Amino acid sequence: FFCGAGISYPAMPTIQGLVDAIYENLGEHPSSMETAAYKRDQFDATLDLLERRIPGQRLAMRRALEQRLKPQRRLHQGATDTHAALLQLGRSRDGTLRLVTTNFDRLFDKAAKRTKQTCVGYAAPMLPIPKASRWDGVVYLHGLLPARRDDNALHRLVVTSGDFGLAY
């Protein structure tokens, strides 16, 4: 199964909501170029422009992103039901899990814990070799938010248009 950002809605904001929250967290207002990209729904480009403009640049923006994507201590009921279902549906008859997501939130971990399922995560750039015998878990194609503050892990997330250019 391949899962995009919609899988974490409504537990997490939409990409537009995420961009808005990052600006708010940083106390920044969009420049004219950022506003133009935002109005064209080019949110990765908006974040790239912001990241290049603000003091502390990359790390400041990523810490704001991390802060907004940390789920509340108690998610509302049903917030990870789809994640839990995909953890079951993504398993072969022998129990091997094959799931790829572009999300970098940790909601699959929460769903696995809640439903007592095992779930190994592989975060970019350290991806498993896609052979049947070597891949059993969730692949986080754009990286994974660290469980604890880790600036190096934040730098590895694929968030902005610049990140996409470097990663792919």
Side-chain angles (χ1 to χ4, degrees), residues 17-156:
L18 178 61
V19 171
D20 293 342
I22 289 171
Y23 274 95
E24 182 179 328
N25 182 290
L26 292 171
E28 291 288 333
H29 297 283
S31 69
S32 59
M33 286 178 58
E34 292 161 18
T35 299
Y38 183 95
K39 286 182 179 178
R40 290 190 306 269
D41 295 337
Q42 295 175 330
F43 301 114
D44 59 330
T46 304
L47 291 177
D48 189 62
L49 292 165
L50 171 66
E51 189 173 84
R52 293 169 190 266
R53 178 176 62 81
I54 61 173
Q57 299 180 317
R58 185 173 179 87
L59 187 56
M61 194 279 289
R62 283 154 198 277
R63 283 184 176 166
L65 174 135
E66 176 186 38
Q67 186 62 36
R68 183 55 188 99
L69 288 183
K70 280 186 179 174
Q72 311 327 332
R73 221 164 181 33
R74 294 180 45 61
L75 295 170
H76 68 39
Q77 187 172 2
T80 59
D81 286 353
T82 304
H83 294 79
L86 284 166
L87 287 171
Q88 287 182 315
L89 291 170
R91 293 187 189 280
S92 64
R93 290 180 189 188
D94 68 356
T96 301
L97 178 61
R98 300 263 169 71
L99 188 64
V100 177
T101 183
T102 57
N103 291 6
F104 24 78
D105 61 56
R106 301 190 78 84
L107 293 178
F108 278 111
D109 291 344
K110 287 198 173 297
K113 186 175 183 178
R114 182 178 59 84
T115 59
K116 296 175 178 58
Q117 297 183 62
T118 58
C119 175
V120 175
Y122 301 96
M126 301 302 290
L127 299 177
I129 296 171
K131 291 186 175 183
S133 64
R134 297 186 185 166
W135 177 26
D136 182 6
V138 179
V139 169
Y140 293 89
L141 201 56
H142 293 165
L144 178 63
L145 284 174
R148 289 182 266 314
R149 171 65 47 92
D150 179 348
D151 293 341
N152 288 325
L154 291 176
H155 283 300
R156 290 190 297 267

